Amino acid sequence: MDENEFLLKLGDYFFMIFHSLLILFNLFAWLYKPLLRWHLAVLALTFASWGILGIWYGLGYCPVTDWHFNILKALGVTDLPQSYISYLLQRLFDLHLADDVVVGLTLGCSLAALILSVYLNFFRKKRH
């Protein structure tokens, strides 16, 4: 293995861990009160990426996915799915779901996390 391939594989593992943790943070950080403000901010950035950057790059665009998929392509990986969640399900569990199912579940779970975060950040009564 040459140095370039080593660095690409290192990048692959970095993005597998980083992006997976980011997804888990987006879905579940609302559960831990000290992270509520960060959770809302990161979710807002995620939705902005999907929607605003999506105007130019396609709805649901994520730069982290783009960077990771570029590394995978440089490693010779082909037939990458449209969504990163589909990629994770295939790579980690050999689970192949229809794209519309994955997009629906991703959007639904993300919206649920956003609603919970907005409620907990702004509408829940503060207790002392």
Side-chain angles (χ1 to χ4, degrees):
M1 175 185 320
D2 66 1
E3 183 180 348
N4 188 48
E5 185 178 359
F6 172 77
L7 292 174
L8 288 169
K9 286 185 183 257
L10 189 64
D12 174 36
Y13 290 121
F14 167 79
F15 278 111
M16 277 294 297
I17 293 167
F18 172 75
H19 207 178
S20 296
L21 290 174
L22 179 62
I23 291 165
L24 291 172
F25 184 89
N26 275 347
L27 292 174
F28 300 112
W30 59 269
L31 289 165
Y32 186 56
K33 189 175 180 180
L35 294 177
L36 273 176
R37 298 266 183 225
W38 284 103
H39 179 252
L40 188 57
V42 173
L43 264 180
L45 288 172
T46 300
F47 275 95
S49 172
W50 290 355
I52 297 169
L53 291 177
I55 293 168
W56 293 278
Y57 298 102
L59 201 56
Y61 175 76
C62 175
V64 181
T65 299
D66 203 17
W67 298 330
H68 192 183
F69 280 10
N70 285 337
I71 288 171
L72 292 170
K73 289 173 189 170
L75 284 167
V77 177
T78 58
D79 296 326
L80 290 166
Q82 288 293 100
S83 105
Y84 195 78
I85 300 295
S86 289
Y87 171 72
L88 282 177
L89 291 172
Q90 290 172 18
R91 182 167 176 179
L92 298 177
F93 306 110
D94 197 28
L95 182 61
H96 300 263
L97 299 175
D99 286 339
D100 57 339
V101 171
V102 174
V103 168
L105 287 171
T106 300
L107 185 57
C109 291
S110 299
L111 284 171
L114 179 64
I115 290 166
L116 284 164
S117 191
V118 167
Y119 171 76
L120 293 172
N121 272 291
F122 298 111
F123 298 106
R124 183 181 60 173
K125 291 182 181 176
K126 307 280 187 211
R127 293 188 184 141
H128 298 284

